[in-house]
Amino acid sequence: MAKLYFYYASMNAGKSTTLLQADFNYRERGLHTMLFTAALDDRAGAGRIGSRIGLGAEAIAFEPTTDLFAVVMAEHARRTVGCTLVDEAQFLSAAQVDQLAALADKANIPVLAYGLRTDFRGALFEGAARLLAIADSLTELKSICPCGRKATMNLRVDAAGQAVREGAQTEIGGNDRYVALCRRHFTEAMEGGPLPHAATA
Ligand SMILES: Nc1ncnc2c1ncn2[C@@H]1O[C@H](COP(=O)(O)OP(=O)(O)O)[C@@H](O)[C@H]1O
Ligand SMILES: Cc1cn([C@H]2C[C@H](O)[C@@H](COP(=O)(O)O)O2)c(=O)[nH]c1=O
Ligand SMILES: [Zn+2]
């Protein structure tokens, strides 16, 4: 029976890289894959998955209204889909996560979803909350705080490098806007303390 997998992490942990490696692995075995990423996250170009290590691939850009079950099943009727891979899964709606679960349960297509667990305030994203609730498999990918602990949180910073405490949940950006930190250093920064540096942490 196929499964719904959720690989979650803070930013800059290698989620997109791992997705692209998994996709390559399926394809080099001769299996047909479908890649999705959030339309609103266009850092690598619209409908493109890009990793900081330089890998990239074209993907289908999902909107809040996209029926992922219908899109994959339409392709599956044409050519057997061996695996569906979704980047920026935090931006899925709960209903879209249920559509991914249906792909595993009704069509026996494995689904690998990669995304953030929490936002810049430490609150769950809708897609992540639903994935944490119903995925068959949960795997945390690791990145490192400057202090050496596991970085589980995402601090949003302004142009001056100061912590941002208020704002919309969605704000697209990369290493210029977000810093992955351990919970202790995230909390200190949110309380007005300095950001850790490797030498001082
Ligand atoms: N030139 C490089 N060589 C090796 N690793 C790199 C390079 N550039 C960035 N990385 C690593 O790639 C990871 C970020 O990968 P990425 O897939 O973009 O992350 P995510 O999707 O989780 O935000 C980080 O661990 C970073 O240290
Ligand atoms: C924490 C947080 C992140 N985002 C956005 C910023 C990026 O565009 C993506 C995550 O990128 P990754 O490197 O692929 O992990 O999510 C956001 O909109 N709101 C947030 O609170
Ligand atoms: Zn730390």
Side-chain angles (χ1 to χ4, degrees), residues 80-111:
T80 301
V81 175
C83 184
T84 297
L85 300 102
V86 183
D87 205 8
E88 308 299 345
Q90 70 273 10
F91 294 129
L92 294 165
S93 66
Q96 286 174 321
V97 173
D98 292 347
Q99 292 159 15
L100 297 178
L103 286 173
D105 296 343
K106 296 181 180 171
N108 204 30
I109 299 173
V111 179

Short mmCIF file of all heavy atoms in Angstrom, two decimals, residues 80-111:
data_model
loop_
_atom_site.label_atom_id
_atom_site.label_comp_id
_atom_site.label_asym_id
_atom_site.label_seq_id
_atom_site.Cartn_x
_atom_site.Cartn_y
_atom_site.Cartn_z
N THR A 80 1.38 5.85 -16.31
CA THR A 80 1.41 5.49 -14.90
C THR A 80 2.36 6.39 -14.10
O THR A 80 3.54 6.55 -14.46
CB THR A 80 1.87 4.02 -14.73
OG1 THR A 80 0.95 3.20 -15.45
CG2 THR A 80 1.90 3.61 -13.26
N VAL A 81 1.84 6.98 -13.05
CA VAL A 81 2.65 7.86 -12.18
C VAL A 81 3.21 7.00 -11.03
O VAL A 81 2.45 6.42 -10.25
CB VAL A 81 1.81 9.03 -11.64
CG1 VAL A 81 2.62 9.88 -10.65
CG2 VAL A 81 1.30 9.91 -12.79
N GLY A 82 4.54 6.97 -10.95
CA GLY A 82 5.18 6.13 -9.92
C GLY A 82 5.31 6.83 -8.58
O GLY A 82 5.40 6.18 -7.54
N CYS A 83 5.33 8.16 -8.60
CA CYS A 83 5.48 8.91 -7.35
C CYS A 83 5.11 10.38 -7.59
O CYS A 83 5.39 10.93 -8.66
CB CYS A 83 6.94 8.84 -6.86
SG CYS A 83 7.22 9.64 -5.27
N THR A 84 4.49 10.99 -6.61
CA THR A 84 4.18 12.42 -6.64
C THR A 84 5.00 13.10 -5.55
O THR A 84 5.03 12.63 -4.41
CB THR A 84 2.67 12.65 -6.38
OG1 THR A 84 1.94 12.04 -7.45
CG2 THR A 84 2.35 14.13 -6.33
N LEU A 85 5.69 14.19 -5.92
CA LEU A 85 6.55 14.89 -4.97
C LEU A 85 6.10 16.36 -4.87
O LEU A 85 5.90 17.01 -5.90
CB LEU A 85 8.01 14.83 -5.41
CG LEU A 85 8.57 13.40 -5.54
CD1 LEU A 85 8.63 12.98 -7.01
CD2 LEU A 85 9.96 13.28 -4.92
N VAL A 86 5.96 16.85 -3.65
CA VAL A 86 5.42 18.21 -3.43
C VAL A 86 6.39 19.01 -2.58
O VAL A 86 6.72 18.61 -1.44
CB VAL A 86 4.05 18.15 -2.72
CG1 VAL A 86 3.48 19.56 -2.56
CG2 VAL A 86 3.08 17.25 -3.47
N ASP A 87 6.87 20.13 -3.12
CA ASP A 87 7.72 21.03 -2.34
C ASP A 87 6.87 22.18 -1.79
O ASP A 87 5.76 22.43 -2.26
CB ASP A 87 8.84 21.60 -3.22
CG ASP A 87 10.06 22.03 -2.40
OD1 ASP A 87 10.09 21.74 -1.17
OD2 ASP A 87 10.99 22.63 -2.98
N GLU A 88 7.37 22.88 -0.78
CA GLU A 88 6.65 23.98 -0.12
C GLU A 88 5.27 23.50 0.36
O GLU A 88 4.26 24.20 0.23
CB GLU A 88 6.52 25.20 -1.05
CG GLU A 88 7.82 25.68 -1.68
CD GLU A 88 8.87 26.13 -0.67
OE1 GLU A 88 8.53 26.35 0.51
OE2 GLU A 88 10.05 26.23 -1.06
N ALA A 89 5.26 22.31 0.94
CA ALA A 89 3.99 21.67 1.33
C ALA A 89 3.28 22.43 2.45
O ALA A 89 2.08 22.22 2.69
CB ALA A 89 4.24 20.23 1.75
N GLN A 90 4.03 23.32 3.14
CA GLN A 90 3.37 24.13 4.18
C GLN A 90 2.26 25.00 3.59
O GLN A 90 1.33 25.39 4.29
CB GLN A 90 4.39 25.00 4.93
CG GLN A 90 4.99 26.16 4.15
CD GLN A 90 6.21 25.79 3.33
OE1 GLN A 90 6.53 24.61 3.20
NE2 GLN A 90 6.94 26.77 2.79
N PHE A 91 2.36 25.31 2.28
CA PHE A 91 1.38 26.18 1.65
C PHE A 91 0.16 25.43 1.11
O PHE A 91 -0.73 26.04 0.52
CB PHE A 91 2.03 27.00 0.53
CG PHE A 91 3.06 27.98 1.01
CD1 PHE A 91 4.33 28.02 0.45
CD2 PHE A 91 2.77 28.87 2.03
CE1 PHE A 91 5.29 28.93 0.88
CE2 PHE A 91 3.72 29.79 2.48
CZ PHE A 91 4.98 29.82 1.91
N LEU A 92 0.11 24.11 1.29
CA LEU A 92 -1.08 23.35 0.91
C LEU A 92 -2.22 23.70 1.87
O LEU A 92 -1.98 23.99 3.05
CB LEU A 92 -0.81 21.85 1.01
CG LEU A 92 0.21 21.25 0.04
CD1 LEU A 92 0.62 19.86 0.53
CD2 LEU A 92 -0.35 21.18 -1.38
N SER A 93 -3.45 23.61 1.37
CA SER A 93 -4.59 23.69 2.29
C SER A 93 -4.79 22.30 2.90
O SER A 93 -4.26 21.29 2.38
CB SER A 93 -5.85 24.11 1.54
OG SER A 93 -6.21 23.08 0.62
N ALA A 94 -5.56 22.25 3.97
CA ALA A 94 -5.86 20.95 4.58
C ALA A 94 -6.56 20.04 3.57
O ALA A 94 -6.29 18.83 3.50
CB ALA A 94 -6.71 21.15 5.83
N ALA A 95 -7.46 20.63 2.77
CA ALA A 95 -8.18 19.83 1.76
C ALA A 95 -7.20 19.24 0.74
O ALA A 95 -7.36 18.10 0.28
CB ALA A 95 -9.23 20.69 1.08
N GLN A 96 -6.19 20.01 0.36
CA GLN A 96 -5.20 19.50 -0.61
C GLN A 96 -4.37 18.36 -0.01
O GLN A 96 -4.00 17.42 -0.71
CB GLN A 96 -4.31 20.64 -1.10
CG GLN A 96 -5.04 21.56 -2.08
CD GLN A 96 -4.23 22.77 -2.47
OE1 GLN A 96 -3.52 23.37 -1.64
NE2 GLN A 96 -4.31 23.18 -3.72
N VAL A 97 -4.07 18.44 1.27
CA VAL A 97 -3.36 17.33 1.92
C VAL A 97 -4.24 16.07 1.88
O VAL A 97 -3.76 14.96 1.62
CB VAL A 97 -2.96 17.69 3.37
CG1 VAL A 97 -2.38 16.48 4.09
CG2 VAL A 97 -1.96 18.84 3.36
N ASP A 98 -5.53 16.25 2.09
CA ASP A 98 -6.44 15.10 2.01
C ASP A 98 -6.46 14.52 0.59
O ASP A 98 -6.57 13.31 0.40
CB ASP A 98 -7.85 15.51 2.44
CG ASP A 98 -7.93 15.84 3.93
OD1 ASP A 98 -6.96 15.52 4.66
OD2 ASP A 98 -8.94 16.41 4.35
N GLN A 99 -6.33 15.40 -0.42
CA GLN A 99 -6.25 14.91 -1.81
C GLN A 99 -4.98 14.07 -2.00
O GLN A 99 -5.00 13.05 -2.70
CB GLN A 99 -6.25 16.10 -2.77
CG GLN A 99 -7.57 16.85 -2.81
CD GLN A 99 -7.42 18.27 -3.36
OE1 GLN A 99 -6.39 18.61 -3.96
NE2 GLN A 99 -8.44 19.09 -3.15
N LEU A 100 -3.89 14.48 -1.39
CA LEU A 100 -2.64 13.71 -1.49
C LEU A 100 -2.80 12.35 -0.81
O LEU A 100 -2.32 11.32 -1.31
CB LEU A 100 -1.48 14.48 -0.86
CG LEU A 100 -1.11 15.82 -1.52
CD1 LEU A 100 0.02 16.50 -0.77
CD2 LEU A 100 -0.71 15.60 -2.99
N ALA A 101 -3.47 12.36 0.33
CA ALA A 101 -3.72 11.08 1.02
C ALA A 101 -4.57 10.15 0.15
O ALA A 101 -4.34 8.94 0.12
CB ALA A 101 -4.42 11.35 2.36
N ALA A 102 -5.51 10.73 -0.58
CA ALA A 102 -6.36 9.93 -1.47
C ALA A 102 -5.54 9.32 -2.61
O ALA A 102 -5.83 8.20 -3.05
CB ALA A 102 -7.49 10.78 -2.03
N LEU A 103 -4.51 10.02 -3.07
CA LEU A 103 -3.64 9.45 -4.10
C LEU A 103 -2.97 8.18 -3.59
O LEU A 103 -2.86 7.18 -4.30
CB LEU A 103 -2.57 10.46 -4.51
CG LEU A 103 -3.02 11.63 -5.39
CD1 LEU A 103 -1.89 12.63 -5.56
CD2 LEU A 103 -3.51 11.12 -6.75
N ALA A 104 -2.50 8.23 -2.34
CA ALA A 104 -1.88 7.05 -1.75
C ALA A 104 -2.90 5.94 -1.53
O ALA A 104 -2.66 4.78 -1.88
CB ALA A 104 -1.19 7.42 -0.44
N ASP A 105 -4.05 6.31 -0.99
CA ASP A 105 -5.02 5.30 -0.55
C ASP A 105 -5.86 4.73 -1.70
O ASP A 105 -6.16 3.53 -1.72
CB ASP A 105 -5.97 5.91 0.49
CG ASP A 105 -5.23 6.31 1.76
OD1 ASP A 105 -4.10 5.85 1.97
OD2 ASP A 105 -5.79 7.11 2.53
N LYS A 106 -6.26 5.58 -2.63
CA LYS A 106 -7.18 5.13 -3.68
C LYS A 106 -6.46 4.74 -4.97
O LYS A 106 -6.96 3.93 -5.74
CB LYS A 106 -8.22 6.22 -4.00
CG LYS A 106 -9.12 6.54 -2.83
CD LYS A 106 -10.15 7.61 -3.21
CE LYS A 106 -11.05 7.92 -2.02
NZ LYS A 106 -11.90 9.09 -2.27
N ALA A 107 -5.31 5.38 -5.25
CA ALA A 107 -4.61 5.12 -6.51
C ALA A 107 -3.28 4.41 -6.28
O ALA A 107 -2.57 4.11 -7.25
CB ALA A 107 -4.39 6.42 -7.26
N ASN A 108 -2.94 4.18 -5.02
CA ASN A 108 -1.69 3.48 -4.67
C ASN A 108 -0.45 4.20 -5.21
O ASN A 108 0.53 3.57 -5.60
CB ASN A 108 -1.75 2.03 -5.18
CG ASN A 108 -0.83 1.12 -4.39
OD1 ASN A 108 -0.57 1.35 -3.21
ND2 ASN A 108 -0.28 0.10 -5.04
N ILE A 109 -0.50 5.53 -5.23
CA ILE A 109 0.65 6.34 -5.68
C ILE A 109 1.33 6.93 -4.44
O ILE A 109 0.69 7.68 -3.69
CB ILE A 109 0.19 7.49 -6.62
CG1 ILE A 109 -0.49 6.92 -7.87
CG2 ILE A 109 1.37 8.39 -6.98
CD1 ILE A 109 -1.12 7.98 -8.76
N PRO A 110 2.61 6.62 -4.21
CA PRO A 110 3.30 7.23 -3.07
C PRO A 110 3.40 8.75 -3.24
O PRO A 110 3.60 9.24 -4.35
CB PRO A 110 4.71 6.60 -3.10
CG PRO A 110 4.70 5.58 -4.16
CD PRO A 110 3.48 5.76 -5.01
N VAL A 111 3.26 9.46 -2.13
CA VAL A 111 3.37 10.92 -2.14
C VAL A 111 4.43 11.35 -1.14
O VAL A 111 4.37 11.00 0.05
CB VAL A 111 2.03 11.58 -1.80
CG1 VAL A 111 2.18 13.11 -1.80
CG2 VAL A 111 0.94 11.15 -2.77
#
